[in-house]
Amino acid sequence: SFRALLNVHSDTVDTYEIAVKLKSHTTRDILPRVFLPIINRLGLGREYDFILIKHIIDLLPLIDENISFTFNLSPFSLRDSLFQKKLFAYLEASHINASRLIIQLYERKTHHDLGGYLATLKSYRAKGIRICIDNFGSSNASLEYMKHFKFDMVQFDRDYSTNLDDERTYTMLHSLVKMLNDLQVQTVAKWVDNKIQKKRLKKLGIDYIQGFDVHKPLTETELLETYHASRM
């Protein structure tokens, strides 16, 4: 599914976050926290990630050229030299604007080889791909990475946008947004479900908001129908 990110400054949707579930004919859709550990135990994580990003790259020419996609890839895939080689070759053959791809990272702990990992991220940046920290503020690792690498975007941990009435949470978010604005890093607040949240987040200077008060998630078919019509 495709979750709209509203650009607060232009009041338009120019980015979608991609959420992946497995379809099941016998139960409810299967969430990543259930199926990804199984895929990884089978040694298929890199293959899964490549199929995902290949499909995303194939979607981009079918929709408005001003639309970008943000999505999660495993750090294990990103660091794998064969995965990089396949991805960069496919990206070059596709002739798309690589900045329309925004890879999300979520790290609970700082990587043991931080220098090597950051060099890996720079290789993706060199191809034009943007890099985002997901669940920013939920661990010390996100701040540690911010000290050493110029990220393009951060998505705040949901606790910040859902606990705005808590004075401590609001003050912390205010400080983080100011820091990121000064660093020219775009900010995203998710789980925005009402007008009061939306108003307060705009006042804080958040760049993007996402949630049911913005737009319901679209299926791939709905996304293609929407932007096919806009391209006519």
Side-chain angles (χ1 to χ4, degrees):
S1 63
F2 297 80
R3 301 169 178 173
L5 270 63
L6 178 71
N7 185 320
V8 171
H9 307 292
S10 64
D11 202 34
T12 59
V13 173
D14 59 27
T15 306
Y16 285 87
E17 181 181 27
I18 296 177
V20 181
K21 299 177 184 177
L22 291 186
K23 286 287 186 183
S24 171
H25 297 294
T26 57
T27 62
R28 292 163 56 179
D29 292 347
I30 304 170
L31 297 175
R33 67 171 179 264
V34 176
F35 70 77
L36 280 180
I38 299 170
I39 287 174
N40 291 330
R41 281 201 299 271
L42 293 171
L44 298 173
R46 292 164 180 79
E47 184 176 345
Y48 169 84
D49 279 341
F50 185 72
I51 290 170
L52 174 63
I53 195 167
K54 180 175 177 291
H55 185 67
I56 292 168
I57 291 170
D58 291 344
L59 278 177
L60 286 172
L62 306 179
I63 62 173
D64 191 291
E65 63 183 10
N66 295 315
I67 298 297
S68 299
F69 289 141
T70 177
F71 51 92
N72 185 265
L73 290 182
S74 163
F76 299 104
S77 296
L78 294 176
R79 293 194 294 264
D80 184 76
S81 58
L82 181 58
F83 179 88
Q84 290 181 44
K85 184 176 180 180
K86 287 171 58 180
L87 171 56
F88 294 162
Y90 196 81
L91 191 59
E92 186 174 347
S94 72
H95 302 294
I96 65 158
N97 178 357
S99 68
R100 297 172 70 190
L101 300 171
I102 308 169
I103 295 176
Q104 295 176 11
L105 305 174
Y106 175 41
E107 297 280 9
R108 291 179 178 86
K109 297 185 295 185
T110 305
H111 191 261
H112 68 277
D113 179 16
L114 183 58
Y117 189 30
L118 296 181
T120 295
L121 297 183
K122 288 176 182 177
S123 69
Y124 287 87
R125 169 69 62 64
K127 298 295 181 181
I129 298 171
R130 289 185 280 168
I131 309 292
C132 170
I133 299 182
D134 196 15
N135 293 324
F136 186 77
S138 64
S139 71
N140 291 332
S142 55
L143 287 172
E144 185 66 22
Y145 283 120
M146 188 64 64
K147 285 162 54 179
H148 300 283
F149 187 79
K150 173 65 168 68
F151 288 90
D152 300 283
M153 179 182 283
V154 302
Q155 295 190 146
F156 285 108
D157 185 72
R158 63 177 292 181
D159 285 346
Y160 286 103
S161 51
T162 56
N163 291 302
L164 291 172
D165 289 334
D166 178 73
E167 184 178 349
R168 187 183 298 272
T169 300
Y170 187 86
T171 301
M172 289 177 64
L173 182 59
H174 180 272
S175 299
L176 289 171
V177 171
K178 183 182 185 309
M179 175 191 75
L180 292 163
N181 284 343
D182 289 344
L183 293 172
Q184 298 182 313
V185 178
Q186 292 183 314
T187 53
V188 182
K190 301 193 287 185
W191 298 86
V192 181
D193 297 327
N194 60 68
K195 297 287 190 295
I196 296 174
Q197 272 180 295
K198 192 173 177 180
K199 184 177 180 180
R200 297 191 77 181
L201 289 165
K202 280 186 174 183
K203 186 177 179 181
L204 280 172
I206 293 284
D207 296 306
Y208 287 90
I209 54 176
Q210 180 217 75
F212 285 105
D213 194 62
V214 175
H215 203 288
K216 72 175 185 67
L218 300 177
T219 65
E220 186 173 309
T221 299
E222 290 170 332
L223 181 86
L224 291 172
E225 287 175 349
T226 298
Y227 289 100
H228 175 72
S230 69
R231 287 161 64 89
M232 296 294 286

